[in-house]
């Protein structure tokens, strides 16, 4: 019985294969969430029979896990099906798996028509994902009580060896805590503690940069969930966090001893991440929130006031925490195989996140801020600063409220400044115009253009061809 209005389900139902929708699509359907791509397990049918049944409908691609054949992906000829599920439709016989080592590919996999659908469910990660729905009858197969766990919002592994079989499942479980608001049961928490160190065997792109069809790894999905702080606290409390992000290990329980903070550093970080999520901040801002204060423990020095400080102190050989943090963020994101442009963007947010917001409504300052950082990064920095301020204290005090108000006014000034020139390509002249006036290509020409931009940022009314050429001539003659 295909789902109403779902062309993929209707098509697969028409094949008369007794196919079952499995995994996340069933879970989300039961939760009333928007549908995911549908994956199918077909009991009683072998690999060769699957290929024969699917071949008339499009291009086939064998699915291989650990150099072992596990199923078939169909890239359908039908344009409606391709549009509904661009990555293709996956079909597999039921299978059993047995771990033979710590690596992702260290598995003995048996995919066979004789294996029951119940056995296939038991090799999955969590009970909430071990649910199948028959397309033919609509019947739900739930051998491990996943539906009850969904209703109770419980995260429970399918077996005692789930995390041993694939340690990435630990991060996936944390992701479900963030996305679905789950609580891990006591045995799952124990397993996280036991198998967390095995995350060192998991490749960085599976954790962060993403090998999934959507290009997002489990940590990325955790940060994009509704309750990332909940998941990060579980990662800390189970000892998983240092294995997931060693850059944050020294932050756990670190007392900032600061008049600006009354929270341990790890709790502050978690609250900043949560505030960024609550604000719907861009993904780069959420990553930066996670790593923005990672440099504090290494930068800390005690002042005459008896408190710790985290800005640069050359006399003590201490660098600013944002400088150290930017390096740690860059190293972490490289290890997790995030794209280069994203790594650079996050690094810059971390490096520049300590900017002040005095004279928040000053249009000149706003234009200079845009000139220095560019439009995208400027608003990223404001979004991060807002989350950072909201994560400083147990409760928001008057000083914090005043800073937030100033930040909101600064954002308004930035938005207004977008209408005024603050980039070289917005000048009424360009390099070719100056060359026509006798300038030679080279550093002096570039410096002249930057000078003209600085003048225009200070007074947008100067952005006329006549004034700019006259000012360039004056500067050349000086």
């Amino acid at each position: 019985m295909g789902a109403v209005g779902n062309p993929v389900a209707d098509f697969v139902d028409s094949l008369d294969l007794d196919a079952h929708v499995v995994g996340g699509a069933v879970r989300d359907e039961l939760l009333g969430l928007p549908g995911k791509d549908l994956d199918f397990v077909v009991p009683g049918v072998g690999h060769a029979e699957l290929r024969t049944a699917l071949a008339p409908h499009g291009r086939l691609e064998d699915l291989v896990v650990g150099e072992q054949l596990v199923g078939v992906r169909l890239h359908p000829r039908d344009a409606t099906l391709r549009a509904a599920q661009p990555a293709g439709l996956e079909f597999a016989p039921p299978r059993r798996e047995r771990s033979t080592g710590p690596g992702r590919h260290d598995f003995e996999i048996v995919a066979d028509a004789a294996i029951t659908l119940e056995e296939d469910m038991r090799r999955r990660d969590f009970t909430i994902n071990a649910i199948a729905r028959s397309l033919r009858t609509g019947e739900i197969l739930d051998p491990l009580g996943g539906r009850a766990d969904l209703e109770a919002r419980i995260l429970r592994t399918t077996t005692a060896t789930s995390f041993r079989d694939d340690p990435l499942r630990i991060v996936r479980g944390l992701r479900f805590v963030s996305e679905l608001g789950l609580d891990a049961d006591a045995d799952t928490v124990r397993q996280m503690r036991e198998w967390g160190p095995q995350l060192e065997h998991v490749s960085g792109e599976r954790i962060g940069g993403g090998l999934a069809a959507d290009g997002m790894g489990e940590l990325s999905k955790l940060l994009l969930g509704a309750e990332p702080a909940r998941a990060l606290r579980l990662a800390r409390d189970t000892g998983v966090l240092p294995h997931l992000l060693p850059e944050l290990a020294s932050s756990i329980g670190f007392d900032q001893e600061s008049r600006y903070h009354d929270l341990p550093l790890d709790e502050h970080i978690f609250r900043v991440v949560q505030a960024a999520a609550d604000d719907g901040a861009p993904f780069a801002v959420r990553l930066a929130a996670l790593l923005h204060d990672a440099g504090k423990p290494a930068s800390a020095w005690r002042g005459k006031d008896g408190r710790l400080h985290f800005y640069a102190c050359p006399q003590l050989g201490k660098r600013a925490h944002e400088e150290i943090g930017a390096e740690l963020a860059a190293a972490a994101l490289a290890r997790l195989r995030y794209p280069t442009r994203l790594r650079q963007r996050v690094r810059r947010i971390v490096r520049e996140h300590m900017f002040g917001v005095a004279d928040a409504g000053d249009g000149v300052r706003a234009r200079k801020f845009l000139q220095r950082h560019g439009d995208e990064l400027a608003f990223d920095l404001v979004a991060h600063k807002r989350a950072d301020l909201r994560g400083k204290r147990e409760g928001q005090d008057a000083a914090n409220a005043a800073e937030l108000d100033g930040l909101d006014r600064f954002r308004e000034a930035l938005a207004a400044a977008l209408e005024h020139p603050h980039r070289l390509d917005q000048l009424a002249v360009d390099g070719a115009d100056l060359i026509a006036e006798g300038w030679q290509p080279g550093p002096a020409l570039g410096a002249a253009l930057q000078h003209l931009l600085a003048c225009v940022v200070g007074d947008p009314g100067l952005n006329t061809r006549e004034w700019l050429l006259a000012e360039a001539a004056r500067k050349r003659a000086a």
Side-chain angles (χ1 to χ4, degrees):
M1 178 170 65
V4 175
N6 188 320
V8 172
D10 291 338
F11 163 71
V12 175
D13 189 33
S14 74
L15 297 176
D16 197 27
L17 284 174
D18 190 26
H20 286 67
V21 183
V22 295
V26 183
R27 178 195 69 227
D28 290 351
E29 177 185 323
L30 292 172
L31 289 171
L33 299 175
K36 297 179 179 290
D37 284 356
L38 304 182
D39 295 330
F40 303 94
V41 169
V42 187
V45 176
H47 184 267
E49 294 169 281
L50 272 178
R51 290 191 66 93
T52 299
L54 297 172
H57 303 285
R59 180 172 61 87
L60 301 182
E61 174 187 344
D62 284 334
L63 295 175
V64 177
V65 175
E67 302 181 356
Q68 299 175 76
L69 193 61
V70 298
V72 179
R73 180 182 289 112
L74 169 67
H75 297 277
R77 293 193 185 93
D78 185 279
T80 301
L81 296 176
R82 290 199 306 273
Q85 203 156 306
L89 285 60
E90 294 190 4
F91 298 82
R95 72 180 191 251
R96 288 191 298 263
E97 296 177 355
R98 185 177 68 85
S99 175
T100 59
R104 180 190 178 198
H105 300 303
D106 295 330
F107 278 95
E108 177 182 85
I109 299 175
V110 179
D112 190 280
I115 297 172
T116 67
L117 191 55
E118 288 83 354
E119 289 179 278
D120 184 272
M121 295 294 100
R122 294 180 187 280
R123 57 98 184 166
R124 296 176 182 271
D125 50 9
F126 301 101
T127 60
I128 61 171
N129 291 332
I131 310 172
R133 178 174 61 80
S134 169
L135 283 182
R136 178 182 296 166
T137 67
E139 179 185 359
I140 294 290
L141 178 72
D142 180 17
L144 301 177
R147 195 169 190 172
D149 284 345
L150 273 180
E151 293 172 356
R153 286 296 195 269
I154 291 174
L155 181 72
R156 190 192 315 273
T157 54
T158 55
T159 71
T161 62
S162 184
F163 296 150
R164 184 201 68 184
D165 292 344
D166 185 358
L168 181 68
R169 290 172 168 179
I170 297 172
V171 194
R172 186 176 304 138
L174 295 171
R175 185 248 290 190
F176 291 139
V177 168
S178 174
E179 287 184 334
L180 304 176
L182 306 181
D183 288 314
D185 79 310
D187 198 50
T188 300
V189 168
R190 180 192 60 76
Q191 291 175 47
M192 284 183 172
R193 288 197 180 100
E194 180 178 0
W195 296 104
Q198 297 303 310
L199 281 170
E200 66 185 58
H201 296 292
V202 179
S203 64
E205 61 265 29
R206 293 185 75 208
I207 294 173
L211 283 178
D214 58 9
M216 301 292 284
E218 299 295 350
L219 178 62
S220 303
K221 294 174 182 177
L222 183 161
L223 293 175
L224 289 169
E227 299 188 63
R230 184 177 192 156
L232 291 169
R233 290 186 183 105
L234 178 59
R236 175 196 62 198
D237 295 345
T238 55
V240 167
L241 187 60
H243 303 291
L244 179 62
L245 284 168
E247 293 78 9
L248 294 182
S250 58
S251 301
I252 297 174
F254 182 85
D255 186 347
Q256 300 185 75
E257 300 183 45
S258 167
R259 67 179 183 272
Y260 303 110
H261 293 270
D262 58 8
L263 297 168
L265 181 54
D266 53 339
E267 191 59 33
H268 164 66
I269 289 171
F270 300 162
R271 292 187 182 214
V272 175
V273 172
Q274 187 61 53
D278 293 343
D279 285 344
F283 180 57
V285 173
R286 301 187 197 204
L287 269 176
L290 182 62
L291 296 162
H292 76 287
D293 275 354
K296 274 190 171 179
S299 71
W301 55 277
R302 195 170 299 280
K304 293 180 180 179
D305 58 359
R307 296 182 178 272
L308 292 182
H309 300 277
F310 307 103
Y311 54 86
C313 182
Q315 300 92 326
L316 297 177
K318 291 288 187 176
R319 295 187 295 156
H321 83 275
E322 62 269 28
E323 180 183 347
I324 298 172
E327 294 174 359
L328 290 172
L333 299 186
R335 186 183 70 254
L336 297 175
R337 303 295 294 274
Y338 280 102
T340 300
R341 186 176 181 278
L342 177 63
R343 299 201 309 259
Q344 292 171 342
R345 184 175 167 189
V346 172
R347 187 184 192 283
R348 290 187 65 190
I349 296 172
V350 174
R351 183 67 181 86
E352 303 290 338
H353 80 270
M354 290 299 293
F355 73 93
V357 292
D359 303 320
D362 184 354
V364 175
R365 182 165 183 269
R367 293 193 294 274
K368 287 182 177 180
F369 197 80
L370 290 171
Q371 176 191 8
R372 175 180 177 182
H373 298 297
D375 296 358
E376 181 180 65
L377 186 66
F379 284 92
D380 282 351
L381 285 166
V382 170
H384 182 275
K385 174 69 77 175
R386 179 174 179 79
D388 198 6
L389 289 172
R390 290 175 60 201
K392 274 190 175 182
R393 299 186 183 278
E394 190 71 40
Q396 300 302 320
D397 58 15
N400 231 17
E403 283 190 274
L404 284 167
D405 180 65
L407 188 65
D408 288 342
R409 286 187 285 113
F410 185 56
R411 182 183 176 84
E412 292 172 2
L414 286 177
L418 288 173
E419 301 178 8
H420 300 289
H422 52 275
R423 301 191 308 268
L424 285 174
D425 63 358
Q426 295 173 314
L427 286 176
V429 300
D430 58 19
D433 294 317
L434 297 193
I435 289 172
E437 296 292 315
W439 287 80
Q440 294 298 313
L445 174 63
L449 288 169
Q450 290 294 340
H451 168 71
L452 295 179
L453 180 61
C455 294
V456 167
V457 165
D459 182 356
L462 300 178
N463 192 32
T464 67
R465 180 178 176 83
E466 294 74 21
W467 189 90
L468 294 172
L469 289 178
E471 176 62 13
R474 185 198 66 77
K475 186 170 179 62
R476 186 169 175 236

